[in-house]
Amino acid sequence: MDRLITFERIPIEPPLKAIYRRLGFRKGRTRMRPDEARALDDRIGQARALITLKGAARRLPILSKDARRIRLPGDSILESAQLAALLADSREVILLGATAGPAVIEAIQRDTAHGNLTRAVVFDATASEMVDAALDWMETFFGRELRREGRRLTKSRFSCGYGDLALENQKLFHELLELGRLGVELTEHYVLVPEKSVTAVAGVETIG
């Protein structure tokens, strides 16, 4: 409990179905010629080569909670009625953070500046889905550990800026997860940089 784990490289491949879906493809409705499909897969592969997934996670006890406030160690407070409802049966939380790194963002910016918008959109979709998949990978990592303890993660996770969990909480996540060590900075408007960086919190429940 209360330990920070850093993942210097998260070994996952692009989640192709999710990437296609983000790009607007619909099963049975969207048709591509073979050359178009090859070009798309080639661009996804180019994006993959630019992405270095890193992550951090911290398991913390919940010291107290009520209908909208969750108090963590170090006088850290998360205020959200929706998050409090998600954590109703939890005595611990796991904070998660992941980043796709700066190289793919720089490539998206270059392509956008030079009018190569098609490739920029594919790179953007690939980075977005891969960083989300990195959170899934970390949840699976902790899920195996928790099962040995007779515990499990909540079925969903919550991110800053979602529902009534204000984006300002990103500062707390950035500090507790020490995201600066992964090269992730926080702007004065609580935006993570590089852009394809995300955080989330999930609860730990007892099974049975």
Side-chain angles (χ1 to χ4, degrees):
M1 199 180 295
D2 195 358
R3 61 191 176 103
L4 177 69
I5 298 178
T6 300
F7 302 93
E8 287 296 330
R9 184 174 291 272
I10 296 177
I12 60 174
E13 292 302 313
L16 295 179
K17 289 183 180 178
I19 294 169
Y20 294 157
R21 192 163 49 245
R22 183 177 282 264
L23 290 169
F25 288 75
R26 297 293 177 265
K27 187 176 181 180
R29 296 183 183 179
T30 306
R31 297 183 183 278
M32 284 191 297
R33 300 191 310 269
D35 62 310
E36 292 174 327
R38 284 194 298 272
L40 175 57
D41 288 345
D42 182 58
R43 289 177 181 127
I44 292 172
Q46 292 172 26
R48 171 69 186 92
L50 295 168
I51 292 170
T52 302
L53 290 171
K54 295 182 179 181
R58 189 163 194 168
R59 184 175 173 181
L60 293 167
I62 296 174
L63 301 184
S64 65
K65 61 186 174 185
D66 57 26
R68 64 170 301 108
R69 288 166 58 91
I70 300 102
R71 187 165 70 88
L72 304 176
D75 286 331
S76 300
I77 303 289
L78 293 171
E79 288 199 19
S80 163
Q82 291 172 301
L83 177 59
L86 175 69
L87 302 177
D89 298 322
S90 299
R91 293 185 178 182
E92 298 174 72
V93 292
I94 292 184
L95 305 185
L96 303 164
T99 182
V104 70
I105 301 301
E106 293 165 0
I108 292 169
Q109 292 170 342
R110 282 196 302 273
D111 278 349
T112 301
H114 291 92
N116 193 354
L117 299 182
T118 299
R119 192 170 72 168
V121 168
V122 175
F123 279 20
D124 187 283
T126 303
S128 294
E129 293 298 337
M130 286 196 71
V131 78
D132 278 346
L135 294 184
D136 294 339
W137 183 89
M138 284 192 285
E139 284 198 328
T140 300
F141 175 89
F142 282 103
R144 287 194 292 268
E145 178 180 279
L146 291 170
R147 277 196 296 276
R148 292 193 290 270
E149 302 174 12
R151 299 167 196 252
R152 66 188 175 199
L153 289 172
T154 48
K155 291 182 179 178
S156 59
R157 59 186 182 233
F158 222 83
S159 291
C160 300
Y162 178 77
D164 62 350
L165 183 62
L167 186 61
E168 286 80 353
N169 289 292
Q170 203 74 277
K171 184 173 187 297
L172 179 64
F173 281 69
H174 187 268
E175 291 174 354
L176 290 176
L177 291 171
E178 301 181 18
L179 292 180
R181 296 170 58 187
L182 301 183
V184 178
E185 304 300 328
L186 187 69
T187 72
E188 60 180 322
H189 300 296
Y190 308 106
V191 175
L192 297 173
V193 178
E195 179 185 341
K196 301 304 179 185
S197 302
V198 295
T199 61
V201 55
V204 177
E205 301 175 333
T206 300
I207 298 173

